Amino acid sequence: MSSALELALVSCALLGLRHGFDYDHLAAITDITSVQRTWREGMRLGLLYALGHAITVAVLGAAVIFLHLGLPHNLDAVGERLVGATLIILAVYVLAAFFTRQSDAAQSRAIPTSRLALLITGARHIGWRIKRLRNPEIPRPEPFRFRYDKGSVVLVGIIHGLGAETPSQLLLFLLAAKLGGTSRGFLGLLCFIAGLLVMNTIMTASASGIFASSRHRPRLQALVTSLTAVYSLVIGTIFLLGVSDKLPALVR
């Protein structure tokens, strides 16, 4: 293995570690873990988010390495805005879930129903009322339902895999393939995914521990949950506006 290839593979692993600590990962993982009942549940769902992210990176990376396909130039911008939209939704969900649980002690042992779902249901109902003025036969819309489960967190992770930096990072896998062949390029992809999963595991364990330790301290829990939601809302808005490149690097 040449020194240039070794350097490329090490760079892939380090890039995966750094990517796992990006703003969107930090926001999504803290959002997901903040409304779970136990540390174990937070860990499970947080790691499923990381798995969803890794799936997208693996698919795109395989296309770049094995098929030598170029990714669309506008994928950065589209992915960035999708990530922003999901972070805003997650922030609203976190606040809604927390205050619903606080206001209804009977639901304190269960994952609360999202107020976001009630807002969306209300918006659908208003739209239905307006449309009925033209067509009285339009059926009433079904209530919108959302809660964190395996499918929803994996889907969020998959969407975040299309984030603003993914296409540029995938070029490193192609570089590894050119230096050592397709198999070495795939090895670079695996190094990146391994670094990503390691960092997200550490972040998930830390976030789950913080939120679990605040369960019996209502004021601390309210403060931490509110800060988490505000952070996610701010980062989501920045991504949605397409100006994430203005954010300072978390890891240099």
Side-chain angles (χ1 to χ4, degrees):
M1 187 181 296
S2 67
S3 58
L5 178 58
E6 290 177 348
L7 180 61
L9 294 179
V10 172
S11 298
C12 287
L14 292 177
L15 190 59
L17 285 168
R18 194 207 67 79
H19 183 75
F21 196 65
D22 276 349
Y23 284 95
D24 57 323
H25 287 246
L26 183 58
I29 288 175
T30 52
D31 280 345
I32 291 170
T33 56
S34 66
V35 291
Q36 303 311 315
R37 293 171 296 179
T38 64
W39 180 86
R40 185 186 299 274
E41 189 71 8
M43 278 295 299
R44 184 175 70 89
L45 293 181
L47 292 179
L48 283 174
Y49 162 83
L51 177 61
H53 191 98
I55 288 173
T56 300
V57 173
V59 171
L60 295 178
V64 169
I65 294 168
F66 293 108
L67 303 178
H68 296 278
L69 295 177
L71 297 176
H73 295 295
N74 63 344
L75 184 59
D76 280 1
V78 173
E80 183 176 4
R81 285 163 174 77
L82 284 174
V83 169
T86 60
L87 290 180
I88 291 173
I89 292 173
L90 291 178
V92 175
Y93 177 82
V94 167
L95 288 175
F98 176 74
F99 287 113
T100 298
R101 183 167 51 195
Q102 291 295 101
S103 63
D104 191 349
Q107 295 180 0
S108 62
R109 297 183 180 180
I111 299 177
T113 302
S114 171
R115 290 282 177 84
L116 175 61
L118 297 179
L119 291 175
I120 295 177
T121 298
R124 285 181 174 180
H125 186 77
I126 292 173
W128 171 70
R129 288 283 188 182
I130 295 174
K131 291 178 181 179
R132 284 194 65 192
L133 296 176
R134 296 183 178 180
N135 184 5
E137 302 301 324
I138 293 179
R140 180 189 295 269
E142 293 291 330
F144 178 82
R145 302 183 186 280
F146 175 81
R147 60 180 297 175
Y148 280 127
D149 55 19
K150 296 178 181 179
S152 61
V153 296
V154 170
L155 178 60
V156 171
I158 289 174
I159 293 174
H160 284 206
L162 299 173
E165 297 182 352
T166 298
S168 59
Q169 291 171 344
L170 292 178
L171 294 178
L172 190 57
F173 310 146
L174 183 58
L175 173 62
K178 290 181 177 179
L179 291 173
T182 301
S183 61
R184 299 297 170 82
F186 185 68
L187 182 59
L189 176 61
L190 292 180
C191 289
F192 179 90
I193 292 175
L196 168 69
L197 292 176
V198 167
M199 177 57 72
N200 280 176
T201 299
I202 295 172
M203 291 171 60
T204 300
S206 301
S208 297
I210 291 173
F211 290 116
S213 64
S214 67
R215 288 286 184 263
H216 303 294
R217 301 176 182 177
R219 291 184 179 179
L220 177 60
Q221 185 183 27
L223 174 62
V224 174
T225 302
S226 298
L227 289 176
T228 295
V230 170
Y231 170 78
S232 182
L233 185 61
V234 170
I235 297 302
T237 301
I238 291 173
F239 272 67
L240 189 61
L241 295 176
V243 292
S244 64
D245 57 327
K246 306 299 183 183
L247 291 170
L250 289 175
V251 180
R252 296 185 182 275

